[in-house]
Amino acid sequence: MKPYNKKIVLENGKEFYGYGFGADKEAVNELVFNTSMVGYQEIVSDPSYTDQMVCMTYPLIGNYGVTDEDYETKIPTIGGIIVREYNDLPSNFRYTKTLSEVLDEYNIPGISGVDTRMITRIIRSEGSQKIIICDADVPYEEALKRVRKYNIPTDMVSRVSCKKRWYSRTPNHKYDIVAVDCGIKLNIIRKLNEKGCNVTVVPYDITADEIRKMQPDGLFLSNGPGNPEDVQTVITLVKELKGELPIFGICLGHQMISLALGARTFKMKFGHRGGNHPVMNLETGKIEITSQNHSYAVDISSLDGTELELTHKNLLDDTAEGVKSKDNKIFSVQYHPESAPGPQDSAYLFDSFIDLMEKEAE
């Protein structure tokens, strides 16, 4: 058995030894876990994981490699990845690189051979916490000191948002959408294109007047990393544009919409991250199996007295999963309807956005 060359130390003092893959670097991040059985490429390339180290609960990762078509962003910004068993010999006719090669290319560390079940139980019991990945020979006390003095950043959206506007067009389009990029996943843009929308992706700090000059049919607010209260520019944007045009938000976009219309958000103990979360649509009574990735949620009790009404609820912990304001032509969901971990139960939400724009055009 070859000797361990890497280790991780948690904020609570727990230490795990393993084998490094990807970039050979030290990193300190927030530790979270994801229960998805597949989709590690989408997780690694999701900007919402910026400055987070993800522990994968599924024991085998890397077995189908990485493909050029399946990225969610052009430059992955995840903090790191923790797996039980890493497979560096993919068996997939579509793969173009191994996961380790991609991580190395984007300077992202990984560690394998650790007890991911124990790590997941620690997070579940004690909540998300800080973690360091470093060389195995770094003294324990020094590693613990580094992790405990780390402060979780508050500027993540500004770092992952595009720096200037860009375009994703489709033939014979019907509608023009402005998408505010707080860390947008590319599959959201693909879905909007599929629905006949030309999409103009703009930086998170765009002003309401700049959007008005573009005369879009609808406004989309994207997912992204961190605390929604840190993104005051987008919250202000929603306050200024509400009622003027249809607005649709996903994940962080949902939280910012809720804050803009008077609700409150809070940080969850360990968040929701996985591909099989049951959500009830309160308007139809149907249950959707959803893909999720968030640390913050909207406080349902804070919706009282606002213009928002609850439309979706998580069946595991009764947290808010969707809201709408009919008078303001606004709706949003906490989960990811563009993802495809199984049946595409949530694709109707993009149709709902189209319906809003159709009514506005009449």
Side-chain angles (χ1 to χ4, degrees):
M1 182 176 177
K2 63 180 181 179
Y4 296 124
N5 63 353
K6 292 289 179 180
K7 71 177 179 181
I8 50 177
V9 179
L10 280 59
E11 186 180 1
N12 69 358
K14 290 289 193 303
E15 184 179 44
F16 299 84
Y17 285 85
Y19 305 100
F21 65 99
D24 181 14
K25 63 171 285 190
E26 181 178 299
V28 188
N29 297 116
E30 181 183 21
L31 171 64
V32 298
F33 69 84
N34 190 301
T35 59
S36 299
M37 297 175 68
V38 294
Y40 57 78
Q41 178 179 351
E42 288 82 355
I43 291 167
V44 164
S45 61
D46 182 350
S48 296
Y49 285 110
T50 300
D51 295 329
Q52 289 182 331
M53 201 168 297
V54 182
C55 176
M56 300 297 297
T57 63
Y58 190 70
L60 179 62
I61 300 296
N63 51 307
Y64 56 86
V66 171
T67 62
D68 291 338
E69 298 87 0
D70 295 343
Y71 285 98
E72 292 290 3
T73 188
K74 296 175 182 177
I75 302 176
T77 52
I78 190 172
I81 188 167
I82 303 165
V83 306
R84 175 60 186 167
E85 180 182 347
Y86 171 65
N87 184 319
D88 206 39
L89 298 170
S91 55
N92 175 12
F93 74 97
R94 293 179 65 233
Y95 101 93
T96 52
K97 295 177 182 176
T98 68
L99 176 58
S100 184
E101 289 169 342
V102 170
L103 295 179
D104 188 35
E105 181 178 348
Y106 293 105
N107 202 31
I108 300 165
I111 187 170
S112 66
V114 299
D115 189 342
T116 52
R117 291 184 300 176
M118 181 180 288
I119 294 169
T120 302
R121 286 173 175 166
I122 289 171
I123 302 170
R124 191 177 62 188
S125 299
E126 302 177 22
S128 302
Q129 56 189 280
K130 294 178 285 187
I131 183 175
I132 186 171
I133 181 171
C134 58
D135 291 337
D137 58 2
V138 173
Y140 169 76
E141 292 296 340
E142 178 60 30
L144 189 59
K145 179 181 176 182
R146 292 176 194 173
V147 74
R148 287 181 173 171
K149 75 174 185 179
Y150 172 75
N151 293 316
I152 296 174
T154 59
D155 64 342
M156 291 177 276
V157 167
S158 66
R159 284 188 279 125
V160 299
S161 178
C162 60
K163 301 302 179 268
K164 60 181 181 179
R165 69 183 64 175
W166 59 278
Y167 306 90
S168 181
R169 299 187 175 99
T170 188
N172 303 312
H173 82 286
K174 297 180 180 178
Y175 301 101
D176 292 292
I177 305 296
V178 168
V180 179
D181 179 10
C182 296
I184 195 167
K185 293 169 67 177
L186 294 178
N187 208 37
I188 292 173
I189 299 171
R190 296 182 193 113
K191 292 295 181 184
L192 289 169
N193 286 158
E194 287 175 11
K195 297 297 181 180
C197 299
N198 278 353
V199 182
T200 303
V201 184
V202 298
Y204 80 102
D205 56 356
I206 192 169
T207 65
D209 285 340
E210 287 177 295
I211 290 177
R212 291 187 183 105
K213 289 175 183 177
M214 297 165 71
Q215 298 183 313
D217 298 300
L219 178 67
F220 175 79
L221 304 182
S222 84
N223 61 292
N227 186 342
E229 294 182 9
D230 292 333
V231 199
Q232 289 297 322
T233 52
V234 180
I235 294 170
T236 301
L237 183 72
V238 176
K239 289 178 180 178
E240 293 183 19
L241 291 177
K242 68 176 185 177
E244 291 188 25
L245 76 173
I247 301 177
F248 176 29
I250 289 176
C251 200
L252 183 66
H254 157 76
Q255 297 160 11
M256 294 184 297
I257 283 172
S258 299
L259 288 169
L261 272 68
R264 296 187 303 271
T265 56
F266 65 95
K267 186 168 186 179
M268 307 172 76
K269 185 176 181 180
F270 50 80
H272 292 157
R273 293 175 183 84
N276 62 348
H277 285 249
V279 169
M280 176 173 281
N281 183 326
L282 300 178
E283 297 179 312
T284 65
K286 292 184 178 181
I287 297 172
E288 304 165 18
I289 303 303
T290 68
S291 175
Q292 308 234 352
N293 168 23
H294 59 103
S295 294
Y296 291 81
V298 175
D299 182 351
I300 289 181
S301 66
S302 72
L303 296 177
D304 295 338
T306 72
E307 300 172 274
L308 294 169
E309 61 178 289
L310 188 69
T311 58
H312 297 74
K313 185 167 70 171
N314 190 294
L315 294 182
L316 297 178
D317 58 10
D318 290 333
T319 51
E321 291 284 357
V323 296
K324 74 174 182 181
S325 173
K326 190 173 182 181
D327 292 341
N328 288 306
K329 299 172 282 192
I330 291 176
F331 73 104
S332 62
V333 289
Q334 180 63 75
Y335 55 94
H336 283 270
E338 83 290 346
S339 297
Q344 296 209 345
D345 298 335
S346 310
Y348 70 90
L349 289 161
F350 291 95
D351 293 325
S352 299
F353 192 33
I354 299 298
D355 291 343
L356 269 181
M357 291 186 288
E358 284 182 352
K359 291 177 184 175
E360 190 72 5
E362 290 175 356

